[in-house]
Amino acid sequence: MTKVTAQMSVSLDGYYAGPRHSGEAADWLESAEAAGFFRVTRWATAAMAWRERQGFAGGEQDVSSDVIAESFEAAGAYVMGRNMADGGEVPWGDEPPFRAPVFVVTHRPRETLMRQGGTSFTYVTDGIASAVEQARAAAGGKNVAIAGGGTLLLQVIKAGLLDELELHIVPAVLGTGMRLLDAGLDLAEKEAIELTPTRVIHTPEVTHIRYTVNGRAALVLDDRGSGSGVDVR
């Protein structure tokens, strides 16, 4: 069964990048946003499976590399935001690493962009739900992977469209920056999104935790240890 999945590298305090860069795009590599992003993704760029997909040599063949290879194999289609697609268009070159259809959520129409290796970029202007459904239809029974960035993933979670979330938690505290799970989810005061951990893989560089997303639920008092099985107020 096709699932909508996502993964994100985050610091121990939940940031996937440093403070948002508001300057020129050409200066991004020198920004605090980039510094935080490269810290939390260091484990991935060191992995052989990631390097091979980018057309680079070398890298570590370890359990983290296996996690990356598994995620590539499971994805039959991708959904991403326009900023990520535009930012990657030149660096990815003629043969991007996805090797599957990519559906780009945008407000600006553009003709489908065909690339080598099985990658295509279809620009979807009628919302995230439409992009996810088009990706489902194109995935061939495999998963739909939300490729990012973080703002898009937050919107997918908020809309209740995500089935599985894998967080790659690195042992670093950034203190500030761009947080994945924040007030943008628009949860009510007594509401939470409940998840069930289904796999934990620990390494010295990163801990991989996979969750099934169960959806929104009311926050209620339990018996607070009384053993009565009823709310104690």
Side-chain angles (χ1 to χ4, degrees):
M1 181 181 70
T2 297
K3 296 183 291 186
V4 180
T5 68
Q7 52 184 308
M8 183 69 73
S9 296
V10 296
S11 63
L12 189 61
D13 49 346
Y15 296 102
Y16 62 89
R20 187 181 298 277
H21 176 60
S22 58
E24 296 294 328
D27 299 329
W28 184 81
L29 285 175
E30 302 301 322
S31 70
E33 179 184 334
F37 172 77
F38 288 127
R39 173 60 190 93
V40 300
T41 58
R42 184 187 301 167
W43 70 272
T45 56
M48 182 180 293
W50 185 88
R51 288 176 177 248
E52 285 180 345
R53 276 288 180 134
Q54 310 301 318
F56 303 147
E60 298 293 329
Q61 178 54 62
D62 54 17
V63 66
S64 290
S65 182
D66 291 341
V67 167
I68 292 173
E70 177 188 59
S71 68
F72 277 129
E73 177 59 30
Y78 294 85
V79 175
M80 71 173 58
R82 183 66 183 260
N83 286 343
M84 182 175 177
D86 286 352
E89 184 172 336
V90 172
W92 290 329
D94 291 333
E95 191 168 351
F98 305 102
R99 303 178 188 175
V102 179
F103 295 84
V104 181
V105 180
T106 181
H107 296 295
R108 293 173 286 138
R110 184 180 180 183
E111 292 295 320
T112 297
L113 185 65
M114 305 301 297
R115 289 290 186 248
Q116 298 175 19
T119 300
S120 61
F121 295 91
T122 299
Y123 294 82
V124 180
T125 58
D126 56 345
I128 293 172
S130 175
V132 169
E133 284 308 305
Q134 291 183 55
R136 281 186 185 275
K142 290 188 171 184
N143 292 340
V144 172
I146 306 300
T151 300
L152 177 72
L153 176 51
L154 184 74
Q155 294 171 348
V156 171
I157 297 171
K158 177 181 174 181
L161 297 172
L162 192 66
D163 300 311
E164 183 178 280
L165 174 65
E166 187 155 17
L167 294 179
H168 310 290
I169 304 172
V170 303
V173 175
L174 296 185
T176 186
M178 299 167 67
R179 190 190 293 273
L180 175 60
L181 304 173
D182 64 11
L185 290 169
D186 289 341
L187 293 168
E189 288 187 354
K190 293 185 177 181
E191 183 182 42
I193 295 175
E194 298 284 350
L195 305 95
T196 301
T198 59
R199 186 177 77 174
V200 180
I201 301 174
H202 171 71
T203 78
E205 295 80 22
V206 59
T207 299
H208 311 280
I209 307 181
R210 179 180 292 172
Y211 299 91
T212 295
V213 181
N214 301 321
R216 295 175 181 247
L219 295 174
V220 297
L221 286 174
D222 57 23
D223 65 12
R224 298 169 66 189
S226 71
S228 66
V230 298
D231 291 353
V232 176
R233 300 179 185 274

